[in-house]
Amino acid sequence: MLNGKRILLIVGGGIAAYKVLDLIRRIGRAGGHVTPVLTRAGSEFVTPLSLSALAGEKVYTDLWDLTDEAEMGHIQLSRVADLVVVAPATADLMAKMAQGHADDLASTLLLATDTPVMIAPAMNVRMWEHAATQRNLVTLKADGIAVVGPDVGDMACGEHGPGRMAEPEAILDSITARLSHGPMKGKHILITSGPTHEPIDPVRYIANRSSGAQGTAIARAAVAAGARVTFVTGPADVAPPEGCTVVRVETATQMRDAALAALPADVAIFAAAVADWRVTSASDRKMKKQDGALPSLELAENPDILAAVAGRTMDRPPLVVGFAAETDDVVENARAKRIRKGCDWIVANDVSPVTGIMGGSENAVLLITAEGEETWERMGKDAVAVRLIERIATALA
Ligand code: C5P
């Protein structure tokens, strides 16, 4: 969460400028405030009006605008922010920054600022790979400038390779991590959340009642504590929090692949309610009723994602936390589960319908570690999340 942090956002001239509108929206939703600065080339791709409408702020464009100088000089403008973000950072802007040019508002602000700077480069693949750009990149990194992206992919110019601007979500992720001073700063946390859907045919699936609320609350608390969070979520009812890298999956197999791809991590928390079984061979056509004859579904067991990650040798996260949602013998079952799955901690809860926990807003948990058990009083899922993250921060310290 950005909690009122101020971002001076310099928008350069590239087709990726359109993604900046989404970035501004996301920064706002995460509690941050954007002051946009638009270069002349940037204004060929995105209008000052769209930027100011989303940022709720005046857009600064011209170094020689005397009204602005009277209101706020460029020196002051460059220093009121907590972070200066350049997105898209074109080859030309990077060159200017590396050389220390100051011939327009954006480059002047970048030279005058004493605030940390982050760039999200975006350009044609040949321009990115050119020796001059790579030289400038080395210079900028040596100057302490943080770089997010570029991504590899198809480009607007029809070529393929590195040069696409990082997605707004990833840029926000880096901004949040850069500005955070929380106890989890510098830690990478993998969190699985939500239910999985296991297809029966193209329109039907096996699912469960998990809303994803607890996993989402944990991700939010981890982001607030300064962690870099990879949030692997099944089709949940609640929207994933801002500031983390979200990987959306449907099935248990996809969730397992996404979780393994996110390693290494300092902590892995498995809050997902993964379906235990999938239909062995889901039909690729909608199954039809057949004169009262009942279809039979052959089931196969899904991979146990928690056990798979806990059992890794080379890249096992130092702390692996599982959940145990039980309806009977909560303590015994959860203790046994901790050993069986090879995880370090189990967060156990009673999900009998009378408790109203599954799909509800509260949780009453028992934390089981190798040292013993702690009973936490019934509290909101957000409070459980904050307490769990605090416990983890203490354990990692
Ligand atoms: O075996 P059970 O489903 O009760 O285990 C619950 C814990 O294991 C949770 O942390 C859940 O996210 C995780 N799990 C998993 N993959 C499965 C089944 C459960 O990661 N296939």
Side-chain angles (χ1 to χ4, degrees):
M1 293 295 116
L2 292 172
N3 297 336
K5 289 280 194 293
R6 302 184 69 91
I7 317 288
L8 186 72
L9 179 64
I10 296 178
V11 183
I15 187 71
Y18 79 92
K19 290 191 196 171
V20 157
L21 300 175
D22 186 29
L23 177 63
I24 295 176
R25 201 175 48 91
R26 285 173 186 269
I27 293 173
R29 286 212 310 241
H33 184 90
V34 173
T35 304
V37 173
L38 186 59
T39 66
R40 205 202 52 73
S43 67
E44 300 288 337
F45 294 91
V46 65
T47 66
L49 188 59
S50 333
L51 291 176
S52 62
L54 283 165
E57 251 273 29
K58 176 180 168 51
V59 177
Y60 294 84
T61 51
D62 195 352
L63 186 56
W64 307 114
D65 186 333
L66 292 178
T67 326
D68 289 349
E69 284 297 307
E71 278 171 15
M72 182 188 281
H74 60 265
I75 301 289
Q76 197 192 342
L77 184 57
S78 75
R79 296 187 185 168
V80 287
D82 297 291
L83 183 68
V84 179
V85 176
V86 187
T90 58
D92 183 58
L93 260 174
M94 285 176 65
K96 279 183 173 172
M97 289 172 76
Q99 292 288 317
H101 287 217
D103 59 359
D104 63 2
L105 179 61
S107 53
T108 304
L109 291 174
L110 286 160
L111 198 61
T113 192
D114 57 1
T115 304
V117 177
M118 176 182 292
I119 62 171
M123 66 198 71
N124 166 273
V125 57
R126 301 272 166 267
M127 293 168 83
W128 173 251
E129 285 173 349
H130 195 285
T133 305
Q134 291 302 310
R135 241 182 354 255
N136 292 333
L137 182 66
V138 171
T139 305
L140 294 174
K141 283 186 175 169
D143 290 346
I145 288 172
V147 182
V148 45
D151 290 348
V152 175
D154 291 331
M155 318 203 52
C157 54
E159 291 185 52
H160 181 91
R164 279 167 65 102
M165 189 172 85
E167 292 302 321
E169 199 175 30
I171 299 176
L172 177 61
D173 206 1
S174 300
I175 291 173
T176 311
R178 185 73 182 74
L179 289 176
S180 157
H181 298 290
M184 295 287 221
K185 186 170 167 56
K187 304 288 183 204
H188 178 211
I189 306 196
L190 163 66
I191 299 170
T192 69
S193 180
T196 63
H197 285 181
E198 309 296 334
I200 295 171
D201 67 15
V203 295
R204 305 182 179 94
Y205 53 83
I206 300 175
N208 61 63
R209 294 187 195 281
S210 165
S211 63
Q214 186 63 82
T216 302
I218 294 169
R220 197 178 303 112
V223 169
R228 181 166 73 82
V229 176
T230 303
F231 186 65
V232 180
T233 175
D237 295 344
V238 290
E242 292 292 336
C244 48
T245 302
V246 180
V247 186
R248 292 175 201 273
V249 296
E250 277 214 3
T251 66
T253 313
Q254 292 167 353
M255 187 174 271
R256 189 254 335 258
D257 293 347
L260 293 178
L263 297 177
D266 298 285
V267 185
I269 305 173
F270 294 86
V274 184
D276 289 319
W277 306 283
R278 66 178 179 281
V279 177
T280 312
S281 39
S283 169
D284 53 9
R285 312 180 70 165
K286 186 179 172 200
M287 291 163 66
K288 298 261 186 249
K289 275 191 281 194
Q290 283 173 350
D291 295 333
L294 297 178
S296 64
L297 296 178
E298 196 195 321
L299 299 179
E301 197 161 309
N302 268 329
D304 192 313
I305 308 164
L306 165 58
V309 170
R312 302 282 287 190
T313 43
M314 303 295 279
D315 53 4
R316 183 193 192 275
L319 183 60
V320 177
V321 182
F323 274 70
E326 305 288 346
T327 49
D328 329 83
D329 303 326
V330 178
V331 183
E332 286 87 280
N333 282 329
R335 272 190 205 138
K337 196 163 286 181
R338 193 182 79 80
I339 307 293
R340 193 170 67 246
K341 303 223 179 200
C343 57
D344 303 297
W345 295 0
I346 283 275
V347 181
N349 54 9
D350 185 344
V351 289
S352 313
V354 286
T355 64
I357 284 174
M358 197 88 171
S361 61
E362 290 195 333
N363 211 344
V365 310
L366 189 69
L367 180 69
I368 302 184
T369 70
E371 284 75 46
E373 286 139 28
E374 286 171 28
T375 307
W376 296 358
E377 65 278 12
R378 190 174 170 120
M379 55 181 114
K381 287 184 176 172
D382 285 344
V384 169
V386 169
R387 182 128 158 212
L388 181 64
I389 291 298
E390 280 170 4
R391 263 312 247 104
I392 291 173
T394 312
L396 293 183

